[in-house]
Amino acid sequence: MSGELPFEKPLAEMRKKIEELKQFGEEKGIDFTDEIARLEERYSRLEEEIYSSISPSQKMHLARHQQRPTSLDLIQLIFTDFIELHGDRLYGDDLAVVGGLAKLDGVPVTVLGQQRGKDTKDNIARFFGSAHPEGFRKALRLMQQANKFNRPIITFIDTKGAYPGNTAEERGQSEAIARNLREMSSLGVPVVCVVIGEGGSGGALAMAVGNRVLMLEHAIYSAISPNGAASILWKDASKADQAAEAMKITAKDLLEMEVIEEIIPEPKGGAHRSYEETAAAISSALIRHLKELSLMDACELKEDRYRKFRKIGEFDFARVEQEDVSL
């Protein structure tokens, strides 16, 4: 197993033993069929045990896996006739955000995604998937174009957060995010957002104000990254695992809180085990939700989006004890 995480090491060790036994049997001409079958059965049981009880911190590491499919990987597998468009027409082209025109099951759409790098050089060029203001403005430009030509919008969320450096602040990071939140809420076309890896902070939300928000099974979505929360709470970013356990960041938690509408299943072991299987599951969900949303007109889509976000969260009034004012 390539790129296994610490909690997957028992599986890697058992798979290695199975492969060694097969190779030894071939070399020596000895039949180990029964022994291999027993080991395979034990491997299946262990695999089921490990992947059926993944903790939030383990999901965080799966969501950040270096081999996890990126937005461009999924765009190439899910859509046809993809034409990437560049630039925000104000400052420049931010490679942390990709987007353009494509077809989903023959239907023209606008697709956008936050893009992590595949290696160190690519990550540096793409700011590790953390967009500058021009990235969010590029996304907004393409969404406004889609709204003008009545094309559904699909976004893929995969970022630890917006770029936190001076250059982003100098160019209006907070304004760019706030403008996206406002403008996305008033779009008159269907908007479906999919959290495919890590959805962190305003950088994620700036591209996630949709009629439907979906999440891959092992993706995470939070108001702040676990590392950031650990830095604030304990002044120690290395306690990210501890923060992840407490923050309710998993797809299951967010579905229960009605922050998202659907969990998209991943291959056993995570999306990086099979890009094709992951893409097929996402494609099926997108087609289904877009068919439902296509029955609504522009006003209904805006109202649907408004209701979705207004229902998130619960509150109650505190009881105030009446004071005895009698003399």
Side-chain angles (χ1 to χ4, degrees):
M1 298 170 67
S2 60
E4 71 271 359
L5 296 169
F7 71 91
E8 297 175 303
K9 284 185 178 178
L11 287 172
E13 291 170 358
M14 188 172 291
R15 173 53 60 188
K16 184 179 178 181
K17 289 179 181 177
I18 293 171
E19 296 301 326
E20 287 175 349
L21 188 58
K22 287 180 178 179
Q23 184 177 354
F24 183 76
E26 291 174 1
E27 291 174 354
K28 302 299 182 181
I30 304 173
D31 186 7
F32 289 118
T33 303
D34 292 340
E35 289 82 354
I36 291 171
R38 282 194 293 270
L39 284 173
E40 292 279 10
E41 186 179 348
R42 284 175 55 193
Y43 179 88
S44 296
R45 288 200 303 268
L46 180 61
E47 186 180 47
E48 183 63 32
E49 180 183 333
I50 288 175
Y51 291 127
S52 64
S53 57
I54 301 177
S55 69
S57 62
Q58 290 169 339
K59 283 182 178 287
M60 177 184 72
H61 292 294
L62 276 173
R64 295 174 173 176
H65 198 287
Q66 61 183 2
Q67 296 172 5
R68 194 170 178 86
T70 66
S71 293
L72 282 176
D73 290 327
L74 295 172
I75 287 171
Q76 295 297 335
L77 289 169
I78 295 171
F79 302 91
T80 57
D81 302 324
F82 175 61
I83 301 173
E84 186 174 357
L85 302 177
H86 298 273
D88 66 343
R89 301 297 187 268
L90 292 169
Y91 181 85
D93 187 33
D94 189 343
L95 298 182
V97 174
V98 297
L101 313 178
K103 288 183 180 178
L104 175 65
D105 196 32
V107 178
V109 298
T110 290
V111 58
L112 298 155
Q114 291 160 330
Q115 179 67 22
R116 295 178 290 108
K118 285 291 192 178
D119 52 37
T120 302
K121 183 179 179 180
D122 196 21
N123 263 318
I124 291 172
R126 298 185 184 278
F127 304 105
F128 293 83
S130 294
H132 281 68
E134 52 269 26
F136 298 120
R137 289 169 182 147
K138 173 167 70 172
L140 179 58
R141 180 177 76 83
L142 297 183
M143 287 188 281
Q144 290 172 333
Q145 181 193 78
N147 192 57
K148 179 179 180 179
F149 293 102
N150 201 32
R151 287 193 300 266
I153 298 168
I154 295 164
T155 70
F156 291 134
I157 312 303
D158 188 15
T159 182
K160 290 184 180 181
Y163 189 76
N166 290 343
T167 53
E169 295 301 329
E170 289 166 357
R171 298 201 285 271
Q173 186 74 288
S174 57
E175 187 276 340
I177 292 173
R179 184 180 294 271
N180 274 31
L181 301 182
R182 186 188 70 183
E183 296 299 321
M184 287 190 76
S185 67
S186 62
L187 292 170
V189 295
V191 183
V192 181
C193 311
V194 187
V195 184
I196 62 172
E198 182 173 12
S201 193
L205 193 57
M207 290 175 57
V209 183
N211 297 88
R212 302 289 182 269
V213 179
L214 320 177
M215 281 182 73
L216 283 177
E217 183 181 358
H218 300 313
I220 59 173
Y221 191 25
S222 56
I224 186 173
S225 72
N227 304 73
S231 296
I232 293 171
L233 294 174
W234 299 293
K235 311 299 182 186
D236 185 357
S238 67
K239 293 186 177 180
D241 284 2
Q242 187 176 342
E245 297 289 340
M247 289 173 62
K248 302 292 185 183
I249 61 175
T250 69
K252 183 172 180 277
D253 292 325
L254 294 163
L255 183 65
E256 290 174 356
M257 293 187 289
E258 298 186 324
V259 174
I260 66 170
E261 279 68 48
E262 183 178 336
I263 299 173
I264 301 173
E266 296 186 26
K268 190 170 289 186
H272 59 286
R273 300 295 180 198
S274 174
Y275 285 22
E276 290 76 14
E277 189 177 337
T278 301
I282 294 174
S283 178
S284 176
L286 289 175
I287 292 169
R288 179 163 29 85
H289 284 285
L290 284 178
K291 281 183 179 178
E292 294 173 6
L293 294 171
S294 67
L295 301 176
M296 303 181 189
D297 62 26
C299 291
E300 290 171 329
L301 286 166
K302 294 175 189 178
E303 181 62 26
D304 174 79
R305 205 175 300 127
Y306 176 81
R307 286 196 305 268
K308 171 193 164 45
F309 284 92
R310 285 291 293 172
K311 74 180 181 182
I312 295 174
E314 297 180 0
F315 69 94
D316 199 355
F317 293 100
R319 294 181 180 179
V320 180
E321 299 291 339
Q322 287 188 341
E323 295 182 4
D324 185 0
V325 295
S326 61
L327 298 177

